[in-house]
Structure formats: structure tokens, C-alpha cells
Amino acid sequence: MNAPDKGGSVTHSSTSPIQRRLSLLSAHLVVALIALVVIGGATRVMEAGLACPDWPLCYGTFLPGRQMNLQVFLEWFHRLDAFVVGLALMVMAVTSIVWRHLLPRWLPWLSCALVVMVALQGLLGALTVLHLLESSVVTAHMLLALTLVAALSGLTQRLRQGQSGVAPLWWRSGAAIALIGVTGQCLVGARMATSWAAQRCLASGEGCQWLVLHRATATPVALTVLLFAAISLAVAGWTRQQWPFLLGLILLVTAQVGLGVLTLRLGLNQPAVTIAHQLLAALLVALLAALLVRRPDNPSSSSQVVADDVSLEPCHG
């Protein structure tokens, strides 16, 4: 709640306009990165990873008109989305350096690190083509993509909150453990998918170790996330006030488990279900990362905005 100072002015927490614009850009980048992960999953499911045989162009041109079909479009759009994300991150890095006196001290460093990460992601993307979709390279590509999703989701949350208090240690620890568990589960699933282990296991009983591991770790990871949400809702105060996000967490985990079971029941023959499974995984990573850095409001760090009677007159009525 806003509090008046001695002169009758109203105080509220605020951030600089440039910080608010960067938070908006970061939020859009989270959406773009989640779309990038989903399109990458669709590219794999549709066996379109090598639809463009060269890199960075596609059939030697920016827009392959003659060769364009669904598979080529998926691979081409995946690269285009990655290119746009890279440009946006470069804009964020330059902006955070130029206006660093108006922004948190850590932002220029983190922005530059994100540019390096997306450049490395582009290199891994090239290696997936040059090495003909080698499983270890594709899995590393997925790991870095999820790391970018988590980093930008957390960055967006911090930029939106500005100066805030400190969340309880158990909240940060629980969110971190849940985030690590979900990310690890995603990597096991990525290794299983990129090596086609599930299909080989269901068809001939070969390479079942990745499928068995993915199924064995799914329950503990889901219970970890649900336990974090349940404890947060049970504890009174600030953590219970985060119930919309915690309810979303519970719904995502429940739906993800259901999609995982459905995927196996259908023998991994329904691309839409597999893609939705990967979408929910990326959303879980983004939400857990945001909750990890979320903090309660700190009234002592609020700034003052003077609102006299004249300025409020047009609002009366």
C-alpha cells in the first residue's frame, strides 16, 4: 500500500522508464525462446532437422522459395527465430551498457553473458546440422536453450520488481531444487528423444535405459514441484499470496504428467502430443525460474512521487 510522507506526497516503488522497457523486451524474449524450444521440438518430431542441408543459409539462400515445404519451413523458421532473439539480446546488452547509471549494476554483465550464450547456441545449432543430428550435440543444444529460458524469465521478474526485499531461504531453496529437477528431467527426455531410444525400445526392446530412466525420475521430480507448491500455499503470509503462480505450477505439472503417460500410450506416434509435452516443460522452467527470484515488496526502498491536489483534480469523479 502506498504511504504518504510528511508533506502529503504519496510513496510507491518504481523503476526507471528504461528499466521498464527492458523488462518488456525481456518478457517478449521469454515468449520467443519458449517458441524456439517448441519449434525445435516440432522440427525433431517431423524429422526436419536436416531439411536445410547447409548453414547458416538454407539451400544457399535466406528464403528457399522453391524447396519450401513443411519440413523446410520448420527448420528455416527455427533459425529465423534464433536470429531475431540474438539481435534482441544484443540490443538489450548495448542499452544496458549505455544507460547503466539508471539500471541495476548486474544487468550489463548478465546481458553480455546472454549474448555469449546465444552465440554459443547458434554454434551448437550449426553443429547439429554439420554432425547430422548427433544426440549429444542436440541434447547440449536443448540444455542451453532451457538455460536461456530460465535466465531471461528470472531477469524479467527482477526488472519488473525493481528494489525488493528478500524471499525466505526455504522458498529459494525449494524453487531451485524444483528447477534443477525439471531441467534434468528435460535433458533425460531430450537424450531419449534425440537418440530415438523410446521408439527403439517399444519396437525391438533395444536402448530402453533412457526410457526407463525418464519414467523413473518423472515421479520424484513431479512430487518435488508439487511439494514446493503445497508448502508455499500452507505457509501464511507472502508465500501464500503467490497462489496464482503456485496454482499454475500445479496445473502445469499435472498436465505434464498426463501428457507423458499419453505419449507412451500412443506409442509416440502423435506429434501434437509430443510437442505439447515439450511446451509444458519449457513453461515449467520459465515459471520456476521466475518464482526462484521473486521477492516480497520492500516498503523501505520505495520512491516518492508528489501528487498535489491540483494534479488529482481531473481524476475526481
Side-chain angles (χ1 to χ4, degrees), residues 37 64 150 154 170-171 217 237 239-240:
V37 172
W170 67 264
W171 168 278
T217 56
T239 59
R240 185 180 293 176

Side-chain angles (χ1 to χ4, degrees), residues 227-297:
L227 181 62
F228 167 70
I231 293 176
S232 302
L233 290 172
V235 176
W238 174 79
T239 59
R240 185 180 293 176
Q241 295 172 6
Q242 312 311 307
W243 67 266
F245 307 103
L246 297 170
L247 180 59
L249 202 61
I250 294 172
L251 292 176
L252 282 175
V253 171
T254 305
Q256 183 73 330
V257 172
L259 283 175
V261 174
L262 182 60
T263 300
L264 290 177
R265 290 286 179 88
L266 295 175
L268 295 91
N269 292 323
Q270 295 296 325
V273 178
T274 305
I275 294 169
H277 194 53
Q278 191 158 339
L279 168 62
L280 292 190
L283 290 173
L284 271 171
V285 169
L287 181 54
L288 282 169
L291 291 175
L292 173 61
V293 302
R294 190 169 177 81
R295 298 179 179 183
D297 292 333

